[in-house]
Amino acid sequence: MAITKQLHGIAKTLFSETKNSLSFFSNDEHVVDNFVQKSYSQGVLSYLDISLAQLLADYLDVSLQSDEFLSLCFLSRFSKEGHLCVVVEDNHLSPNPLDIYPKEFFEEEKVSQKEIVSSIHKGFLSLKKLVAEFSFQEGEYPQDPLGSDGKAIYLQKWWLFETLCSYHLQRLTSYSSFDKPISSEKLNNFLTENNSLLELQKKAVIASLNFPVTIICGGPGTGKTYTASSVLHALQECVVKKDEKEL
């Protein structure tokens, strides 16, 4: 943790020392909107968001308008909120940029919410025309850091993770659950005798033995690991042996 904070501090210091010489902090209205500087000063956009936007802008190798640069800043900011992409439609943008701003920001900075959302939306619509569509072939992955799927704009690694996850889920669900039969009687006895399992955990055990893919989720301490170990235990106890008949 201490090392992370130290590196975080070094990056921020270097950014602060050089930001006045960077193109996106120039006075050219076509490079950066004043809103970026206000967002940075209020801590809504970080130096990492703006630096990544600059790197992506350099990669695109085109002269970006201020709203296009602003949208790149928000692509980074949204990813830190857990969003894999930004869905861009003619009359819709998701997630909503206003969701990450405190209400008092617009009062203090005297900035129009409608104008800013419109500017960010316009920027993303323009970016869709500038970036290529990602495509997937097993073993061949896109190298561009920025792209789209035709509807949403992604950073490359998030698109890749989502695509690979979907690909492997589809692959796994095409298999049968197990090549060895499970004894229903043994499974019922196992669940009845295991008083430490909650009802939802028992359902998870049953599902895991009957479907090729089962997703067990929950917060810290909710029993995911214990449920997984119970699945393995049940599998060991309930598989029909060669010399037994399936019940």
Side-chain angles (χ1 to χ4, degrees):
M1 181 64 72
I3 294 176
T4 302
K5 287 184 176 179
Q6 183 180 9
L7 292 174
H8 195 267
I10 291 173
K12 186 173 183 178
T13 299
L14 291 173
F15 180 86
S16 299
E17 290 175 350
T18 59
K19 69 178 184 181
N20 290 327
S21 64
L22 296 176
S23 62
F24 52 77
F25 273 103
S26 73
N27 294 322
D28 186 349
E29 64 179 0
H30 294 294
V31 177
V32 63
D33 189 274
N34 191 40
F35 183 71
V36 175
Q37 297 187 51
K38 291 179 179 179
S39 299
Y40 171 71
S41 65
Q42 293 291 331
V44 177
L45 292 177
S46 74
Y47 49 93
L48 293 175
D49 297 324
I50 301 174
S51 296
L52 178 59
Q54 180 64 60
L55 289 173
L56 292 172
D58 292 343
Y59 174 81
L60 292 172
D61 195 26
V62 294
S63 180
L64 295 182
Q65 299 296 314
S66 59
D67 48 15
E68 295 166 341
F69 184 84
L70 184 58
S71 65
L72 287 176
C73 292
F74 274 89
L75 183 63
S76 172
R77 182 66 172 82
F78 287 144
S79 70
K80 292 192 296 186
E81 294 290 318
H83 299 284
L84 297 181
C85 63
V86 177
V87 178
V88 187
E89 299 174 330
D90 289 342
N91 299 309
H92 179 68
L93 184 68
S94 180
N96 188 341
L98 297 181
D99 291 342
I100 60 176
Y101 279 89
K103 293 181 180 179
E104 56 271 18
F105 174 87
F106 295 94
E107 296 174 359
E108 294 175 1
E109 300 295 340
K110 297 180 180 180
V111 178
S112 166
Q113 295 185 21
K114 184 177 180 180
E115 182 180 352
I116 290 303
V117 172
S118 175
S119 180
I120 297 171
H121 188 195
K122 180 182 176 183
F124 274 114
L125 286 171
S126 297
L127 284 179
K128 278 182 68 176
K129 300 176 182 179
L130 293 175
V131 301
E133 284 194 28
F134 286 139
S135 60
F136 174 76
Q137 290 184 342
E138 190 175 5
E140 298 182 11
Y141 308 128
Q143 300 301 310
D144 294 339
L146 189 68
S148 80
D149 66 351
K151 183 177 180 181
I153 294 180
Y154 289 79
L155 291 173
Q156 183 260 11
K157 70 173 183 177
W158 300 136
W159 179 87
L160 187 58
F161 290 159
E162 182 182 82
T163 302
L164 287 175
C165 183
S166 175
Y167 170 77
H168 287 297
L169 277 175
Q170 292 182 51
R171 178 180 60 81
L172 291 171
T173 54
S174 67
Y175 300 147
S176 58
S177 53
F178 294 106
D179 56 358
K180 297 180 179 179
I182 302 294
S183 167
S184 299
E185 181 179 356
K186 286 185 176 182
L187 179 57
N188 288 332
N189 291 337
F190 173 82
L191 295 175
T192 301
E193 294 170 2
N194 196 332
N195 296 323
S196 58
L197 282 174
L198 301 174
E199 286 303 313
L200 283 177
Q201 291 174 314
K202 291 180 180 181
K203 289 181 179 180
V205 172
I206 295 172
S208 298
L209 298 181
N210 285 281
F211 296 97
V213 176
T214 300
I215 299 175
I216 301 173
C217 57
T222 54
K224 298 184 298 296
T225 303
Y226 183 72
T227 303
S229 67
S230 296
V231 171
L232 295 176
H233 190 191
L235 183 60
Q236 184 180 29
E237 293 292 324
C238 303
V239 168
V240 177
K241 306 295 191 297
K242 289 183 179 179
D243 55 346
E244 295 177 331
K245 292 184 178 180
E246 184 179 353
L247 300 176

